[in-house]
């Protein structure tokens, strides 16, 4: 009887573990994970007013970030490159679930590396243009891109990653954003 109880307890625990590992929030991580945010909390993220955090749409949980007529920039991840890895970072992977209403919803995920917080001169700047990256509209789509960083990127440089509305007249949403680095 004790063995049967242990077996049932183990099966129940395994089922709970599988249920809690939903694929709905899966994103692509390449290298060392730096941050992942489903916007249920915003620790490490900041920038714009709380208006970019919304419950209108969400890929996982109840919150996401949005851009549109009410605001062109969403919450921003800001970190010095040296705090993301002890080794020189050679590439950076950004992965996010995005929701666009149609092809005309201009928007991008931005990766910007500046000399420092005080000196905003760019060292590296790339975007993932969302209307060309997604295949379907009015549903959540995973977008991922790995950016090879130039040798000029230093540990003292500052990374910013954010959703940019680019003047879109309709709401665009992002959720479950992941940033990882490769050395």
């Amino acid at each position: 009887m004790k063995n049967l109880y242990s077996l049932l307890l183990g099966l129940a625990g395994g089922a709970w573990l599988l249920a809690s590992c939903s694929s709905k929030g899966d994103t692509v991580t390449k290298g060392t994970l730096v941050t992942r945010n489903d916007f249920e909390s915003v620790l490490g993220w900041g920038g714009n007013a709380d208006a970019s955090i919304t419950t209108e749409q969400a890929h996982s949980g109840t919150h996401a970030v949005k851009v549109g007529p009410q605001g062109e920039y969403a919450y921003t991840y800001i970190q010095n490159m040296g705090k993301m890895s002890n080794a020189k970072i050679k590439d950076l992977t950004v992965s996010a679930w995005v929701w666009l209403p149609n092809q005309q919803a201009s928007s991008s995920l931005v990766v910007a590396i500046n000399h420092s917080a005080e000196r905003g001169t760019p060292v590296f700047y790339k975007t993932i243009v969302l209307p060309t990256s997604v295949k379907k509209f009015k549903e959540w789509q995973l977008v991922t891109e790995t950016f090879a960083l130039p040798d000029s990127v230093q540990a003292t440089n500052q990374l910013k990653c954010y959703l940019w509305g680019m003047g879109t007249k309709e709401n665009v949403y992002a959720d479950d954003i992941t940033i990882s680095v490769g050395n």
Side-chain angles (χ1 to χ4, degrees):
M1 186 69 162
K2 186 176 181 181
N3 286 341
L4 179 61
Y5 176 73
S6 295
L7 177 64
L8 290 174
L9 187 59
L11 288 172
W16 175 82
L17 182 61
L18 285 173
S20 67
C21 294
S22 167
S23 64
K24 189 172 184 183
D26 288 350
T27 52
V28 176
T29 302
K30 180 180 173 189
T32 304
L33 178 66
V34 173
T35 186
R36 179 185 182 284
N37 200 332
D38 61 3
F39 300 100
E40 303 307 305
S41 65
V42 291
L43 185 61
W45 292 70
N48 269 8
D50 291 1
S52 69
I53 301 292
T54 183
T55 57
E56 295 169 5
Q57 291 275 355
H59 176 257
S60 69
T62 57
H63 293 81
V65 290
K66 77 173 179 177
V67 292
Q70 76 294 337
E72 192 152 340
Y73 300 97
Y75 257 44
T76 303
Y77 180 76
I78 303 171
Q79 189 60 264
N80 282 346
M81 299 297 288
K83 291 187 177 181
M84 296 188 300
S85 175
N86 291 331
K88 183 160 179 70
I89 298 171
K90 295 187 180 183
D91 61 63
L92 187 111
T93 301
V94 176
S95 176
W97 285 90
V98 296
W99 189 100
L100 281 75
N102 54 50
Q103 184 77 34
Q104 291 72 42
S106 305
S107 53
S108 291
L109 280 170
V110 175
V111 174
I113 301 174
N114 295 328
H115 278 283
S116 65
E118 299 78 29
R119 188 172 156 210
T121 316
V123 175
F124 178 85
Y125 183 91
K126 293 286 183 180
T127 63
I128 302 172
V129 180
L130 298 180
T132 59
S133 297
V134 300
K135 306 295 183 233
K136 298 177 183 174
F137 299 97
K138 294 188 178 181
E139 65 181 70
W140 289 98
Q141 299 274 297
L142 178 65
V143 295
T144 300
E145 190 155 338
T146 298
F147 302 98
L149 300 180
D151 288 337
S152 59
V153 172
Q154 302 296 316
T156 56
N157 296 155
Q158 184 184 65
L159 167 74
K160 290 185 177 186
C161 183
Y162 54 91
L163 177 64
W164 176 28
M166 300 175 59
T168 185
K169 303 293 184 224
E170 300 183 68
N171 289 336
V172 173
Y173 303 88
D175 200 359
D176 302 313
I177 298 176
T178 299
I179 301 170
S180 55
V181 297
N183 305 105

